[in-house]
Amino acid sequence: MKKKKLLFFPLIYFALCLHFSNASPKINLSKEVSVTEASLVFIIKRDSTFQRRYEVILNTYSRSNYTEALSEILELEDSYQSKLDYKNLYLLYSLKANIYNKTNNHSRALENFKKALKNLLILKNSKIENN
């Protein structure tokens, strides 16, 4: 008999708490999930692959192997230009400009520094608009 009383009182207490708090399940079926929230996992995955490839390019650049680093940058740049990923494009253009500057091709270095700054401005303006 005592066991039944011990189980009965917590159930009564729980039912009273629900009743007095006016707790009712509210489901809003009209709410939609935004695309950025749903695809966040994929964006992180892309950034991690970019970071790995960018680190390899930086290691190649630090060993003064500019031709190999430049070819890897061009390969990576093609894949990110269509995605309009301005942060990664900024990093690629600035590294590409540094390579051209080290190899005394100043006109191409200046051209790529301008592209890097353009992507940085677009990135800054898009962050301002989002806030």
Side-chain angles (χ1 to χ4, degrees), residues 89-107:
L89 284 172
Y90 163 74
L91 292 171
L92 290 174
Y93 282 129
S94 60
L95 185 59
K96 192 167 136 182
N98 286 331
I99 290 173
Y100 283 130
N101 196 26
K102 293 272 186 179
T103 58
N104 294 327
N105 193 343
H106 301 294
S107 61

Side-chain angles (χ1 to χ4, degrees), residues 9 38 43-44 55 65 69 77 79 97 99 109 114 118 122 126:
F9 287 115
I43 292 171
I44 292 171
E55 287 174 9
N65 193 352
E77 181 186 330
S79 64
I99 290 173
K114 286 179 182 178
K118 181 180 177 183
I122 292 171
S126 68

Side-chain angles (χ1 to χ4, degrees), residues 25-101:
K26 296 179 181 176
I27 300 172
N28 190 357
L29 296 176
S30 64
K31 189 174 182 181
E32 296 179 7
V33 177
S34 70
V35 176
T36 55
E37 289 178 40
S39 64
L40 182 63
V41 175
F42 300 111
I43 292 171
I44 292 171
K45 229 177 196 181
R46 282 189 209 144
D47 286 342
S48 66
T49 58
F50 175 82
Q51 287 297 333
R52 278 185 272 139
R53 289 186 70 185
Y54 188 72
E55 287 174 9
V56 169
I57 294 170
L58 280 177
N59 288 336
T60 307
Y61 172 75
S62 65
R63 287 178 289 160
S64 299
N65 193 352
Y66 301 129
T67 55
E68 185 179 331
L70 188 61
S71 68
E72 290 176 14
I73 287 173
L74 292 173
E75 197 175 292
L76 193 57
E77 181 186 330
D78 288 338
S79 64
Y80 275 88
Q81 217 158 21
S82 61
K83 297 174 187 169
L84 299 176
D85 191 352
Y86 299 112
K87 180 184 175 188
N88 293 338
L89 284 172
Y90 163 74
L91 292 171
L92 290 174
Y93 282 129
S94 60
L95 185 59
K96 192 167 136 182
N98 286 331
I99 290 173
Y100 283 130
N101 196 26

